[in-house]
Amino acid sequence: MYFCSRFQEQRMDFDTLEYGIVLVGWVVGILLGTILLFVKLPADKVHFTYRRAKNTCAITIILFGLEILFQWLIRFYFKLDDPALSVFVYLMTFCVATLIFTGGFCTMLAPHIMDKKQRIILISVLVFYGTYLLINYFIDNRRIQSYGILIACAILLVITCISIYKFVYIYRHAINDLKTYYADVVENLMRWMPGVGAGVMLLLIAAPITCLCPRWVGINQLALGIVLFIYTFIYTIEFSFSYNTVAAAIHQQPEADEPQDAGDEPAKSGSSSLSASLQEVMQSKESRWREQGGYRTAGLTIEQAARAMGTNRSYLSRYLNEVRQMTFYEWVARMRIDEAQSVMVQERETSIEQIASRVGFTSVSTFSSTFKKVVGESPAKWRNSQ
């Protein structure tokens, strides 16, 4: 009798916990998605693709919130016991969210990929999956319906894996393009993206598996989903403040090459496509710019550096990649860290924060991570060893 009573109490506690988490889930999802949907952004051409991506992200969050609200209503309000209906809504929501999020992600970082053909493919996949789930829902035979759900989970898993591949592919290309920028705010911003992407990927890929698991697994997934709602919301808002810089870094094309002097000889094979005399000119410009401390400019971009040096982005990029064998990011980091090391040795009383600001970093955390990446140990540890 005691054990039966104890089991009943635990079951009630479990139901109360589930009720609370589901309630919080749909409220948070709908609220944050609605706020994000109505966030105002500049009505310029640069922000056009971001506005679409932001709205896509908002709709995805709202969609999740509505799905949780539906589950809350049928389970706790109407007290319906229809697992097939719950599974149908659950899988359909995750399929729609996966495809919408993929489209929004591509639009934000690679708008040229989301052409008309790609959109038609996404819509076709969605229509096919929705039709399949609908047919399966109206099948009376429970055994056949169960097999149909297993197949639907497998299809959703394949769709999710393809979407994840797209995420990774586009993100890697975006990061490579952003290497030509040294804006600390952009670097910090792009650190958020793997966290958001990984969270979304785990949530999406777990959907077809969770559908077949006990209730407590779904509750844990929902709790993590609420955290992801908030994380995605904050990241998307943060992204809006720097999107014009990110868009410029990713989407703009290098300037056309300037004509070479008639007497220039091509560089030797395997060294550089720049002529020998042009390499000397670039080295001279680099030395003069470095002596002037141009690398200390916070939020420095390759366009700003090229303009200050009296050249263009194309030549500077080729010079760094082919002659110096480094990216613009690595080049600026090396100069800043070199000066920081000199100051740290000569001015023992100067704090790490002051040094970071002096050499061009906008935050101590960025300075510390860059210093450790270049030198191999933290600024404080290196300073103590000198």
Side-chain angles (χ1 to χ4, degrees):
M1 193 71 178
Y2 169 79
F3 289 109
C4 291
S5 175
R6 186 67 176 169
F7 177 78
Q8 195 70 22
E9 290 177 4
Q10 289 179 349
R11 184 175 181 84
M12 288 178 63
D13 291 341
F14 187 81
D15 290 340
T16 303
L17 175 64
E18 184 180 18
Y19 177 89
I21 292 179
V22 173
L23 178 63
V24 171
W26 72 259
V27 170
V28 170
I30 295 176
L31 179 63
L32 294 184
T34 303
I35 293 174
L36 192 59
L37 192 63
F38 288 98
V39 167
K40 294 294 183 183
L41 291 173
D44 52 30
K45 189 175 181 181
V46 173
H47 282 80
F48 175 71
T49 54
Y50 175 73
R51 284 198 303 273
R52 289 197 304 181
K54 175 191 71 71
N55 293 337
T56 299
C57 185
I59 291 171
T60 304
I61 296 177
I62 292 174
L63 187 64
F64 278 124
L66 291 175
E67 189 272 334
I68 300 170
L69 172 60
F70 176 82
Q71 302 289 1
W72 182 80
L73 287 173
I74 64 173
R75 184 176 301 170
F76 298 105
Y77 189 79
F78 296 112
K79 299 188 182 300
L80 299 176
D81 186 17
D82 190 353
L85 180 60
S86 296
V87 170
F88 168 77
V89 175
Y90 184 84
L91 292 179
M92 190 63 200
T93 300
F94 270 89
C95 182
V96 173
T98 300
L99 297 178
I100 288 180
F101 196 82
T102 301
F105 190 87
C106 292
T107 300
M108 187 165 61
L109 290 184
H112 59 283
I113 292 180
M114 286 308 298
D115 54 15
K116 186 176 181 180
K117 180 181 177 182
Q118 294 288 332
R119 287 193 291 270
I120 291 175
I121 292 175
L122 290 181
I123 294 173
S124 300
V125 171
L126 183 59
V127 170
F128 164 77
Y129 194 75
T131 304
Y132 174 81
L133 285 177
L134 196 62
I135 294 173
N136 186 73
Y137 174 69
F138 286 106
I139 294 175
D140 292 331
N141 191 310
R142 289 296 182 182
R143 186 172 183 177
I144 297 176
Q145 195 176 64
S146 299
Y147 285 127
I149 290 174
L150 289 174
I151 295 173
C153 290
I155 295 174
L156 181 58
L157 192 59
V158 172
I159 293 173
T160 304
C161 289
I162 294 174
S163 297
I164 289 173
Y165 171 78
K166 282 280 188 183
F167 292 159
V168 175
Y169 175 81
I170 293 171
Y171 177 75
R172 288 180 62 184
H173 278 265
I175 287 296
N176 288 335
D177 290 334
L178 284 169
K179 284 298 184 182
T180 59
Y181 273 69
Y182 199 87
D184 293 346
V185 65
V186 175
E187 183 190 0
N188 292 333
L189 184 66
M190 295 309 288
R191 289 179 184 173
W192 280 68
M193 188 167 286
V196 173
V200 172
M201 290 174 191
L202 289 174
L203 186 67
L204 295 178
I205 205 167
I209 301 172
T210 305
C211 183
L212 307 173
C213 293
R215 284 170 58 193
W216 65 269
V217 177
I219 293 175
N220 288 328
Q221 185 206 25
L222 178 56
L224 292 175
I226 296 172
V227 175
L228 184 61
F229 289 163
I230 300 172
Y231 193 77
T232 304
F233 174 81
I234 295 173
Y235 168 77
T236 308
I237 295 295
E238 185 76 14
F239 201 100
S240 65
F241 294 114
S242 304
Y243 181 73
N244 55 347
T245 305
V246 177
I250 295 174
H251 303 149
Q252 75 177 358
Q253 298 298 321
E255 299 175 23
D257 290 348
E258 297 172 358
Q260 291 190 6
D261 294 337
D264 288 346
E265 293 294 328
K268 294 181 180 179
S269 176
S271 56
S272 173
S273 62
L274 297 175
S275 64
S277 60
L278 194 53
Q279 289 185 47
E280 293 179 5
V281 171
M282 291 300 299
Q283 289 170 351
S284 175
K285 290 177 180 292
E286 177 192 8
S287 298
R288 185 164 56 250
W289 183 75
R290 180 169 185 168
E291 290 173 1
Q292 294 170 351
Y295 56 87
R296 300 191 192 103
T297 303
L300 182 66
T301 68
I302 193 170
E303 282 77 17
Q304 294 172 334
R307 196 179 304 116
M309 291 170 63
T311 183
N312 64 28
R313 170 178 174 154
S314 178
Y315 272 169
L316 180 55
S317 179
R318 285 164 58 188
Y319 169 73
L320 294 177
N321 294 334
E322 299 172 6
V323 179
R324 297 300 304 274
Q325 299 289 307
M326 60 178 65
T327 65
F328 177 74
Y329 178 94
E330 295 167 340
W331 181 58
V332 175
R334 183 71 263 181
M335 287 186 285
R336 289 180 172 181
I337 298 304
D338 284 346
E339 181 178 354
Q341 287 178 302
S342 177
V343 175
M344 289 165 70
V345 171
Q346 296 175 12
E347 303 177 18
R348 291 283 179 176
E349 72 284 354
T350 306
S351 67
I352 298 295
E353 291 81 3
Q354 292 173 320
I355 295 173
S357 177
R358 183 190 299 186
V359 300
F361 290 95
T362 55
S363 69
V364 179
S365 61
T366 303
F367 169 68
S368 297
S369 62
T370 305
F371 190 97
K372 191 170 184 178
K373 188 183 300 182
V374 173
V375 181
E377 54 186 359
S378 67
K381 186 175 180 180
W382 183 88
R383 190 180 210 176
N384 292 333
S385 66
Q386 301 304 306

